Amino acid sequence: YVFRSNMSEVAFKNETDNLTRLYYEDLFVLGEKANNIRKKRFDKKVFFNLNRHINPTNICSDVCKFCAFSAHRKNPNPYALSLEEIVKEAREARDKGAKEIHIVGAHNPDMGIEFYANVFKAIKSNLPDLHIKALTAAEVDFFARSSGKSYEDILKIMRDSGVDSMPGGGAEIFEERVREKICKGKVSSKGWLEIHRLWHKMGKKS
């Protein structure tokens, strides 16, 4: 489905057949093939990213059956960090060598897109060398529904506040019958894909 927008039906089938074969490949053989591709492109160079996760809150209005993070389920200790606490954690991470801050959290009705926009602006103004990867499509959908804004409105606020890229969280399983059972109320598979499509249209990566 993701590839359909820019390739023919035949090319799409060939691509999905190739991707499907990866699931049946021996892990060690797959690793060797991947390593050969890396060596052809980069010789002996190896790349990694030093990243710090910051989860501003675990108070969530959704109740996904698989979640052990939300204070509504197995976690008995609800919390919500302040803007100052988040910036402090980002600074400490940067001082230890982090190049990227990954900010995702729960769907807290008391922490809207305006709060997060202020967080992103504060990090960019105090720590401009940090890459901000933030907010899943599920969070974008939650902010859109709770504020009455469109997906595009929320994404523009993110972009203009300093978000550099989006993570892929909130996808879970795209089959709607399964999604209805495990995370009813969360962004639909169609909505998830639309949010990422709009983000890419803005020239951003996810």
Side-chain angles (χ1 to χ4, degrees), residues 15 25 33-34 40 68 76 79 99 101 108 111 116 121 138-139 141 161-162 195 202 206:
E15 186 70 22
E25 188 69 88
K33 289 179 179 179
K40 283 180 183 178
Y79 74 87
K99 301 295 183 185
I101 298 297
N108 187 335
M111 296 170 76
Y116 282 91
K121 289 174 184 175
E139 288 170 283
D141 175 78
S161 301
I195 287 164
M202 291 179 184
S206 69

PDB file of all heavy atoms in Angstrom, residues 15 25 33-34 40 68 76 79 99 101 108 111 116 121 138-139 141 161-162 195 202 206:
ATOM      1  N   GLU A  15       8.122  -5.680  -5.920  1.00  0.00           N
ATOM      2  CA  GLU A  15       8.735  -5.117  -4.706  1.00  0.00           C
ATOM      3  C   GLU A  15       8.244  -5.846  -3.462  1.00  0.00           C
ATOM      4  O   GLU A  15       9.031  -6.189  -2.580  1.00  0.00           O
ATOM      5  CB  GLU A  15       8.412  -3.625  -4.606  1.00  0.00           C
ATOM      6  CG  GLU A  15       9.111  -2.903  -3.478  1.00  0.00           C
ATOM      7  CD  GLU A  15      10.607  -2.754  -3.680  1.00  0.00           C
ATOM      8  OE1 GLU A  15      11.060  -2.825  -4.830  1.00  0.00           O
ATOM      9  OE2 GLU A  15      11.318  -2.576  -2.672  1.00  0.00           O
ATOM     10  N   GLU A  25      14.242 -15.549   5.021  1.00  0.00           N
ATOM     11  CA  GLU A  25      15.699 -15.661   4.903  1.00  0.00           C
ATOM     12  C   GLU A  25      16.314 -16.020   6.253  1.00  0.00           C
ATOM     13  O   GLU A  25      15.867 -15.541   7.304  1.00  0.00           O
ATOM     14  CB  GLU A  25      16.264 -14.317   4.421  1.00  0.00           C
ATOM     15  CG  GLU A  25      17.739 -14.333   4.069  1.00  0.00           C
ATOM     16  CD  GLU A  25      18.042 -15.140   2.832  1.00  0.00           C
ATOM     17  OE1 GLU A  25      17.997 -14.579   1.724  1.00  0.00           O
ATOM     18  OE2 GLU A  25      18.308 -16.356   2.981  1.00  0.00           O
ATOM     19  N   LYS A  33      24.497 -10.647   3.883  1.00  0.00           N
ATOM     20  CA  LYS A  33      24.145  -9.883   2.680  1.00  0.00           C
ATOM     21  C   LYS A  33      24.106  -8.387   2.982  1.00  0.00           C
ATOM     22  O   LYS A  33      24.591  -7.563   2.195  1.00  0.00           O
ATOM     23  CB  LYS A  33      22.786 -10.347   2.133  1.00  0.00           C
ATOM     24  CG  LYS A  33      22.815 -11.720   1.498  1.00  0.00           C
ATOM     25  CD  LYS A  33      21.433 -12.128   1.005  1.00  0.00           C
ATOM     26  CE  LYS A  33      21.477 -13.497   0.341  1.00  0.00           C
ATOM     27  NZ  LYS A  33      20.134 -13.928  -0.126  1.00  0.00           N
ATOM     28  N   ALA A  34      23.512  -8.034   4.122  1.00  0.00           N
ATOM     29  CA  ALA A  34      23.436  -6.622   4.513  1.00  0.00           C
ATOM     30  C   ALA A  34      24.832  -6.048   4.728  1.00  0.00           C
ATOM     31  O   ALA A  34      25.133  -4.918   4.328  1.00  0.00           O
ATOM     32  CB  ALA A  34      22.592  -6.476   5.780  1.00  0.00           C
ATOM     33  N   LYS A  40      30.311  -2.420   0.403  1.00  0.00           N
ATOM     34  CA  LYS A  40      30.394  -1.858  -0.957  1.00  0.00           C
ATOM     35  C   LYS A  40      30.171  -0.353  -0.942  1.00  0.00           C
ATOM     36  O   LYS A  40      30.781   0.393  -1.703  1.00  0.00           O
ATOM     37  CB  LYS A  40      29.346  -2.521  -1.860  1.00  0.00           C
ATOM     38  CG  LYS A  40      29.720  -3.912  -2.325  1.00  0.00           C
ATOM     39  CD  LYS A  40      28.629  -4.487  -3.212  1.00  0.00           C
ATOM     40  CE  LYS A  40      28.969  -5.919  -3.620  1.00  0.00           C
ATOM     41  NZ  LYS A  40      27.886  -6.530  -4.444  1.00  0.00           N
ATOM     42  N   ALA A  68       2.267  -1.221  28.516  1.00  0.00           N
ATOM     43  CA  ALA A  68       2.709  -1.318  29.905  1.00  0.00           C
ATOM     44  C   ALA A  68       3.286   0.008  30.375  1.00  0.00           C
ATOM     45  O   ALA A  68       3.870   0.087  31.446  1.00  0.00           O
ATOM     46  CB  ALA A  68       3.754  -2.423  30.030  1.00  0.00           C
ATOM     47  N   PRO A  76       1.666   2.148  37.968  1.00  0.00           N
ATOM     48  CA  PRO A  76       0.863   2.800  39.019  1.00  0.00           C
ATOM     49  C   PRO A  76       1.326   4.217  39.360  1.00  0.00           C
ATOM     50  O   PRO A  76       0.782   4.839  40.268  1.00  0.00           O
ATOM     51  CB  PRO A  76       1.075   1.879  40.220  1.00  0.00           C
ATOM     52  CG  PRO A  76       2.482   1.383  40.026  1.00  0.00           C
ATOM     53  CD  PRO A  76       2.684   1.258  38.533  1.00  0.00           C
ATOM     54  N   TYR A  79       2.868  10.515  35.858  1.00  0.00           N
ATOM     55  CA  TYR A  79       3.735  11.693  35.938  1.00  0.00           C
ATOM     56  C   TYR A  79       3.554  12.564  34.704  1.00  0.00           C
ATOM     57  O   TYR A  79       3.081  12.113  33.653  1.00  0.00           O
ATOM     58  CB  TYR A  79       5.210  11.285  36.078  1.00  0.00           C
ATOM     59  CG  TYR A  79       5.817  10.745  34.798  1.00  0.00           C
ATOM     60  CD1 TYR A  79       6.390  11.599  33.847  1.00  0.00           C
ATOM     61  CD2 TYR A  79       5.828   9.380  34.524  1.00  0.00           C
ATOM     62  CE1 TYR A  79       6.928  11.120  32.671  1.00  0.00           C
ATOM     63  CE2 TYR A  79       6.366   8.888  33.356  1.00  0.00           C
ATOM     64  CZ  TYR A  79       6.926   9.762  32.430  1.00  0.00           C
ATOM     65  OH  TYR A  79       7.454   9.274  31.259  1.00  0.00           O
ATOM     66  N   LYS A  99      23.212  13.227  20.102  1.00  0.00           N
ATOM     67  CA  LYS A  99      23.019  14.081  18.931  1.00  0.00           C
ATOM     68  C   LYS A  99      21.537  14.251  18.605  1.00  0.00           C
ATOM     69  O   LYS A  99      21.162  15.110  17.809  1.00  0.00           O
ATOM     70  CB  LYS A  99      23.715  13.472  17.703  1.00  0.00           C
ATOM     71  CG  LYS A  99      25.209  13.267  17.883  1.00  0.00           C
ATOM     72  CD  LYS A  99      25.939  14.579  18.045  1.00  0.00           C
ATOM     73  CE  LYS A  99      27.448  14.378  18.161  1.00  0.00           C
ATOM     74  NZ  LYS A  99      28.149  15.642  18.440  1.00  0.00           N
ATOM     75  N   ILE A 101      17.352  13.958  20.226  1.00  0.00           N
ATOM     76  CA  ILE A 101      16.383  13.800  21.302  1.00  0.00           C
ATOM     77  C   ILE A 101      15.102  13.236  20.689  1.00  0.00           C
ATOM     78  O   ILE A 101      14.567  13.776  19.728  1.00  0.00           O
ATOM     79  CB  ILE A 101      16.084  15.152  21.984  1.00  0.00           C
ATOM     80  CG1 ILE A 101      17.359  15.722  22.612  1.00  0.00           C
ATOM     81  CG2 ILE A 101      15.001  14.982  23.041  1.00  0.00           C
ATOM     82  CD1 ILE A 101      17.952  14.881  23.716  1.00  0.00           C
ATOM     83  N   ASN A 108      -1.982  12.705  26.822  1.00  0.00           N
ATOM     84  CA  ASN A 108      -2.413  13.408  28.030  1.00  0.00           C
ATOM     85  C   ASN A 108      -3.281  14.612  27.640  1.00  0.00           C
ATOM     86  O   ASN A 108      -2.793  15.538  26.995  1.00  0.00           O
ATOM     87  CB  ASN A 108      -1.178  13.873  28.811  1.00  0.00           C
ATOM     88  CG  ASN A 108      -1.520  14.457  30.162  1.00  0.00           C
ATOM     89  OD1 ASN A 108      -2.615  14.953  30.381  1.00  0.00           O
ATOM     90  ND2 ASN A 108      -0.567  14.425  31.077  1.00  0.00           N
ATOM     91  N   MET A 111      -1.851  18.097  28.205  1.00  0.00           N
ATOM     92  CA  MET A 111      -0.604  18.506  27.546  1.00  0.00           C
ATOM     93  C   MET A 111      -0.843  18.502  26.043  1.00  0.00           C
ATOM     94  O   MET A 111      -0.608  17.501  25.365  1.00  0.00           O
ATOM     95  CB  MET A 111       0.546  17.568  27.940  1.00  0.00           C
ATOM     96  CG  MET A 111       0.879  17.619  29.424  1.00  0.00           C
ATOM     97  SD  MET A 111       2.038  16.331  29.970  1.00  0.00           S
ATOM     98  CE  MET A 111       3.595  16.966  29.364  1.00  0.00           C
ATOM     99  N   TYR A 116       3.856  21.099  23.689  1.00  0.00           N
ATOM    100  CA  TYR A 116       4.963  20.468  22.979  1.00  0.00           C
ATOM    101  C   TYR A 116       5.686  21.465  22.070  1.00  0.00           C
ATOM    102  O   TYR A 116       6.918  21.427  21.952  1.00  0.00           O
ATOM    103  CB  TYR A 116       4.466  19.263  22.180  1.00  0.00           C
ATOM    104  CG  TYR A 116       4.232  18.055  23.053  1.00  0.00           C
ATOM    105  CD1 TYR A 116       2.990  17.816  23.637  1.00  0.00           C
ATOM    106  CD2 TYR A 116       5.265  17.160  23.322  1.00  0.00           C
ATOM    107  CE1 TYR A 116       2.783  16.720  24.454  1.00  0.00           C
ATOM    108  CE2 TYR A 116       5.060  16.054  24.138  1.00  0.00           C
ATOM    109  CZ  TYR A 116       3.824  15.840  24.699  1.00  0.00           C
ATOM    110  OH  TYR A 116       3.622  14.752  25.524  1.00  0.00           O
ATOM    111  N   LYS A 121      10.621  24.523  20.841  1.00  0.00           N
ATOM    112  CA  LYS A 121      11.251  25.842  20.682  1.00  0.00           C
ATOM    113  C   LYS A 121      12.335  26.061  21.735  1.00  0.00           C
ATOM    114  O   LYS A 121      13.409  26.595  21.431  1.00  0.00           O
ATOM    115  CB  LYS A 121      10.187  26.949  20.784  1.00  0.00           C
ATOM    116  CG  LYS A 121       9.247  27.022  19.593  1.00  0.00           C
ATOM    117  CD  LYS A 121       8.144  28.048  19.852  1.00  0.00           C
ATOM    118  CE  LYS A 121       7.127  28.074  18.725  1.00  0.00           C
ATOM    119  NZ  LYS A 121       5.986  28.988  19.024  1.00  0.00           N
ATOM    120  N   ALA A 138       0.186   8.783  15.994  1.00  0.00           N
ATOM    121  CA  ALA A 138      -0.912   8.617  16.954  1.00  0.00           C
ATOM    122  C   ALA A 138      -1.075   9.877  17.789  1.00  0.00           C
ATOM    123  O   ALA A 138      -2.203  10.300  18.082  1.00  0.00           O
ATOM    124  CB  ALA A 138      -0.646   7.410  17.846  1.00  0.00           C
ATOM    125  N   GLU A 139       0.040  10.498  18.176  1.00  0.00           N
ATOM    126  CA  GLU A 139      -0.022  11.737  18.939  1.00  0.00           C
ATOM    127  C   GLU A 139      -0.552  12.884  18.074  1.00  0.00           C
ATOM    128  O   GLU A 139      -1.349  13.705  18.539  1.00  0.00           O
ATOM    129  CB  GLU A 139       1.364  12.077  19.494  1.00  0.00           C
ATOM    130  CG  GLU A 139       1.789  11.153  20.617  1.00  0.00           C
ATOM    131  CD  GLU A 139       3.247  11.323  20.998  1.00  0.00           C
ATOM    132  OE1 GLU A 139       4.122  10.825  20.256  1.00  0.00           O
ATOM    133  OE2 GLU A 139       3.514  11.956  22.039  1.00  0.00           O
ATOM    134  N   ASP A 141      -2.606  12.637  15.606  1.00  0.00           N
ATOM    135  CA  ASP A 141      -4.046  12.412  15.493  1.00  0.00           C
ATOM    136  C   ASP A 141      -4.763  12.839  16.778  1.00  0.00           C
ATOM    137  O   ASP A 141      -5.814  13.484  16.727  1.00  0.00           O
ATOM    138  CB  ASP A 141      -4.301  10.923  15.216  1.00  0.00           C
ATOM    139  CG  ASP A 141      -5.778  10.575  15.201  1.00  0.00           C
ATOM    140  OD1 ASP A 141      -6.439  10.860  14.187  1.00  0.00           O
ATOM    141  OD2 ASP A 141      -6.277  10.029  16.211  1.00  0.00           O
ATOM    142  N   SER A 161       8.123  24.713  15.000  1.00  0.00           N
ATOM    143  CA  SER A 161       8.650  24.758  16.366  1.00  0.00           C
ATOM    144  C   SER A 161      10.015  24.094  16.491  1.00  0.00           C
ATOM    145  O   SER A 161      10.640  24.163  17.547  1.00  0.00           O
ATOM    146  CB  SER A 161       7.674  24.075  17.326  1.00  0.00           C
ATOM    147  OG  SER A 161       6.417  24.711  17.285  1.00  0.00           O
ATOM    148  N   GLY A 162      10.452  23.433  15.414  1.00  0.00           N
ATOM    149  CA  GLY A 162      11.794  22.863  15.444  1.00  0.00           C
ATOM    150  C   GLY A 162      11.905  21.361  15.315  1.00  0.00           C
ATOM    151  O   GLY A 162      13.002  20.809  15.423  1.00  0.00           O
ATOM    152  N   ILE A 195      -0.844  11.021   7.715  1.00  0.00           N
ATOM    153  CA  ILE A 195      -0.002  11.935   8.494  1.00  0.00           C
ATOM    154  C   ILE A 195       1.441  11.890   7.994  1.00  0.00           C
ATOM    155  O   ILE A 195       2.075  12.930   7.799  1.00  0.00           O
ATOM    156  CB  ILE A 195      -0.087  11.588   9.999  1.00  0.00           C
ATOM    157  CG1 ILE A 195      -1.458  12.021  10.548  1.00  0.00           C
ATOM    158  CG2 ILE A 195       1.040  12.253  10.791  1.00  0.00           C
ATOM    159  CD1 ILE A 195      -1.808  11.417  11.881  1.00  0.00           C
ATOM    160  N   MET A 202       5.965  17.979   3.233  1.00  0.00           N
ATOM    161  CA  MET A 202       6.588  19.202   3.752  1.00  0.00           C
ATOM    162  C   MET A 202       8.111  19.166   3.635  1.00  0.00           C
ATOM    163  O   MET A 202       8.798  20.078   4.072  1.00  0.00           O
ATOM    164  CB  MET A 202       6.206  19.388   5.227  1.00  0.00           C
ATOM    165  CG  MET A 202       4.746  19.718   5.462  1.00  0.00           C
ATOM    166  SD  MET A 202       4.421  19.893   7.260  1.00  0.00           S
ATOM    167  CE  MET A 202       2.647  20.156   7.210  1.00  0.00           C
ATOM    168  N   SER A 206      10.692  10.719   8.101  1.00  0.00           N
ATOM    169  CA  SER A 206      10.131   9.950   9.221  1.00  0.00           C
ATOM    170  C   SER A 206      10.621   8.515   9.120  1.00  0.00           C
ATOM    171  O   SER A 206      11.194   8.113   8.119  1.00  0.00           O
ATOM    172  CB  SER A 206       8.604   9.995   9.190  1.00  0.00           C
ATOM    173  OG  SER A 206       8.090   9.265   8.099  1.00  0.00           O
TER     174      SER A 206
END
